[in-house]
Amino acid sequence: MLDTRRMQVLRAVVTSGSVTAAARNLGYTPSAVSQQMAALEKEAGIALLERTGRGVRATDAGRLLTEYAVTIGRQLAEAETALAELRAGRTGRVSMRYFTTAGAALVAPALAALRRAQPGVQIELKLSDPDDPMPQVRDRQADLALVVRPRGQLGLDGVRFEHLLDDRYHAVLPAGHPLAAKPLLDMTDLADEPWVASESPGPCLDPILEACGAAGFSPDFVVESGDYATAQGFVAAGLGVGLVPQLGLDAPHSGVVVREVRNPVPIRSIYAAVRGPAPERPAVRGLLDALREAAAQAGSPGAVPGPGADIDAGDGSGPGSGAA
């Protein structure tokens, strides 16, 4: 096999017209250059140089290899540049999975920011609903996934979790409901109400059940819905009340009002699940940084409805639950 480094030495010899000049340009001794040329000729199985007075010139084989050496040198330079861009996080490809209600509030602004900062990074984006994306992250079919997980249940081999946002649930009431007159509700205020379920069993329903249990009751679900938009319609029709997370409150509905709840405040924790423990790629780190910034904006005080706000629930469905 031809040694590409020796081909670059050949290129220097042919370009300069002599072994001595090539040695001077390369910082080698003439003897070292001669040895390199002898070894390359042995590899090629044909003479590459012929003497012309005090210099040398390329044979047909020498000219052929010199042309290839030019191409190889250019490609190596391009490879070094591309590798430097990849190391710096300015290029690369990241596969990401997300659930619906995280799309508008987290994914969209994060990708827009990443495109401005690192336009060479390509994102393969897929909706994970209704499947759990964790096996894809664990099995290296995806680099990153947005998931809802209880804070105490984050153990999974081959996956690292980075907390992004604590998404508070809010009470959604029919517009004419007596509790709508209260600016702030206690969970016990909802104990005797019929409930509209917007979540299927899983990590998004668990915070609701836990908050109700801490308040001393179990919610009486009279209607089931697979998404927040449908649940909102059931609530507007007067069929019951419900709890919807902040990220689900993005589509206005004239028939409902939203109130904050306390004692306790139901919260779902949103994480970025990343492949590990392999070294993190710069492009993945850039996406994580953008997601954290988007999460900070989504969780800022201005993004959370205050007491008495007439804000309506949006639709969405997420991994491990009917609506996330």
Side-chain angles (χ1 to χ4, degrees), residues 9 89 118 123 191 222 262 291:
V9 176
Q118 299 165 261
I123 305 297
V222 297
R262 64 182 180 183
L291 285 168

Side-chain angles (χ1 to χ4, degrees), residues 174 193-196 220-223 230-242:
E193 298 290 331
W195 281 62
V196 173
D220 178 20
F221 292 114
V222 297
V223 180
T230 303
Q232 185 182 9
F234 287 148
V235 171
L239 300 180
V241 301

Side-chain angles (χ1 to χ4, degrees), residues 139-248:
D139 299 339
R140 299 182 176 274
Q141 298 174 18
D143 298 303
L144 181 150
L146 297 185
V147 295
V148 175
R149 284 292 186 277
R151 279 189 174 271
Q153 301 179 23
L154 297 179
L156 184 64
D157 291 341
V159 178
R160 185 179 79 255
F161 291 88
E162 295 207 15
H163 180 259
L164 294 178
L165 179 68
D166 285 331
D167 194 15
R168 297 171 55 188
Y169 283 80
H170 300 266
V172 180
L173 311 169
H177 195 284
L179 290 175
K182 297 184 65 173
L184 180 63
L185 301 180
D186 289 303
M187 282 297 298
T188 52
D189 292 332
L190 306 174
D192 297 327
E193 298 290 331
W195 281 62
V196 173
S198 58
E199 314 281 6
S200 297
C204 292
L205 178 61
D206 290 344
I208 296 175
L209 298 179
E210 291 169 3
C212 292
F217 71 95
S218 179
D220 178 20
F221 292 114
V222 297
V223 180
E224 293 187 1
S225 166
D227 60 76
Y228 298 134
T230 303
Q232 185 182 9
F234 287 148
V235 171
L239 300 180
V241 301
L243 291 179
V244 174
Q246 172 61 30
L247 293 189

Side-chain angles (χ1 to χ4, degrees), residues 196-320:
V196 173
S198 58
E199 314 281 6
S200 297
C204 292
L205 178 61
D206 290 344
I208 296 175
L209 298 179
E210 291 169 3
C212 292
F217 71 95
S218 179
D220 178 20
F221 292 114
V222 297
V223 180
E224 293 187 1
S225 166
D227 60 76
Y228 298 134
T230 303
Q232 185 182 9
F234 287 148
V235 171
L239 300 180
V241 301
L243 291 179
V244 174
Q246 172 61 30
L247 293 189
L249 299 173
D250 62 350
H253 190 297
S254 60
V256 304
V257 295
V258 174
R259 298 291 182 263
E260 290 193 37
V261 291
R262 64 182 180 183
N263 297 326
V265 178
I267 292 174
R268 65 174 185 174
S269 295
I270 299 175
Y271 293 85
V274 187
R275 286 194 326 217
E280 189 170 88
R281 289 151 46 208
V284 174
R285 171 53 52 186
L287 178 56
L288 277 172
D289 291 342
L291 285 168
R292 273 195 293 269
E293 178 62 28
Q297 294 297 321
S300 64
V304 178
D310 293 328
I311 301 177
D312 310 301
D315 64 340
S317 54

